[in-house]
Amino acid sequence: GAVVSQHPSWVICKSGTSVKIECRSLDFQATTMFWYRQFPKQSLMLMATSNEGSKATYEQGVEKDKFLINHASLTLSTLTVTSAHPEDSSFYICSASALSSYNEQFFGPGTRLTVL
Amino acid sequence: DAKTTQPPSMDCAEGRAANLPCNHSTISGNEYVYWYRQIHSQGPQYIIHGLKNNETNEMASLIITEDRKSSTLILPHATLRDTAVYYCIVSHTGKLIFGQGTTLQVKP
């Protein structure tokens, strides 16, 4: 149980285009989903927290107009990188937290974004 | 959320127990201790968590000191597939702030 999927697993796009990444909880309902970014040889950096039906809460320094997050249902959240530039190239990882007082998170496999 | 301190790297022989320490001296009473690991180029994997008592599951054991200022993750019989970066995180909000973790290298 507790499986989280991401789509696509990798994407290459041209500078200036927008890219949408999907995160799905396959066998549980996720009240909260999180988006992280990880650059090579670095740790994960939390970008934003989203609750179903609410606006996402962004971490300091993360541009909300550039990284659009939608959490329309208890099983799906999307991250859209708008007007992507080469510096946005990174490994994007989502996680989902179920209705639980322990709040453990289950992570997706990640999406490798390369902006040319 | 409290910060944690972990050694940057550790080696372990295959088949032996791997003991990964974590210091969290500023932990508050309602913060849980979580352990995750990340194998290269994959999403992190949940291992175990605890509040006060020691915990054990099919993957590992978590030993938390009585004053809760430190903990140890124990992989009882390490295999080559346990080679990964192990993250110790304390939180009560559900937000996980990842540090640099410990890179565990299991050697044959």
Side-chain angles (χ1 to χ4, degrees):
Chain A
V3 177
V4 176
S5 70
Q6 281 184 242
H7 178 81
S9 55
W10 59 269
V11 57
I12 301 172
C13 71
K14 292 182 178 180
S15 186
T17 61
S18 295
V19 174
K20 180 185 283 189
I21 302 170
E22 290 186 351
C23 176
R24 294 182 185 271
S25 57
L26 299 185
D27 52 1
F28 67 100
Q29 292 187 324
T31 53
T32 307
M33 287 184 167
F34 303 83
W35 287 95
Y36 297 81
R37 181 167 54 179
Q38 186 174 32
F39 292 109
K41 298 188 185 300
Q42 294 187 23
S43 187
L44 283 80
M45 185 194 81
L46 178 65
M47 299 175 67
T49 302
S50 76
N51 293 297
E52 184 262 340
S54 303
K55 287 185 178 180
T57 301
Y58 291 80
E59 295 298 302
Q60 193 171 13
V62 178
E63 300 175 59
K64 62 180 180 181
D65 295 331
K66 180 168 183 64
F67 299 100
L68 302 179
I69 291 171
N70 184 278
H71 190 167
S73 75
L74 286 173
T75 59
L76 173 65
S77 176
T78 60
L79 168 68
T80 301
V81 183
T82 62
S83 187
H85 291 283
E87 56 266 30
D88 298 322
S89 298
S90 189
F91 193 46
Y92 290 87
I93 308 169
C94 74
S95 70
S97 180
L99 286 166
S100 164
S101 61
Y102 298 118
N103 292 324
E104 66 255 43
Q105 294 178 28
F106 301 97
F107 286 80
T111 296
R112 178 78 56 192
L113 170 63
T114 302
V115 184
L116 302 177
Chain B
D1 292 332
K3 287 188 175 180
T4 61
T5 304
Q6 299 178 252
S9 64
M10 291 181 64
D11 289 344
C12 177
E14 188 180 17
R16 304 296 294 268
N19 297 287
L20 292 92
C22 179
N23 285 323
H24 32 79
S25 58
T26 59
I27 191 171
S28 59
N30 60 350
E31 288 183 308
Y32 285 81
V33 179
Y34 297 86
W35 282 85
Y36 288 80
R37 72 180 182 185
Q38 185 178 27
I39 296 170
H40 184 62
S41 295
Q42 297 181 25
Q45 177 187 23
Y46 165 80
I47 301 174
I48 199 167
H49 72 277
L51 184 61
K52 294 181 182 178
N53 300 322
N54 298 336
E55 302 288 341
T56 296
N57 63 20
E58 64 278 3
M59 288 185 67
S61 294
L62 172 60
I63 308 298
I64 303 174
T65 57
E66 195 168 338
D67 63 8
R68 303 210 321 126
K69 292 185 177 182
S70 66
S71 60
T72 302
L73 178 74
I74 301 172
L75 307 178
H77 305 286
T79 71
L80 299 178
R81 286 180 295 180
D82 292 322
T83 292
V85 180
Y86 287 77
Y87 297 100
C88 167
I89 303 165
V90 292
S91 174
H92 76 283
T93 63
K95 278 173 53 171
L96 300 179
I97 305 300
F98 285 78
Q100 295 305 307
T102 295
T103 299
L104 175 68
Q105 182 74 47
V106 181
K107 298 185 174 181

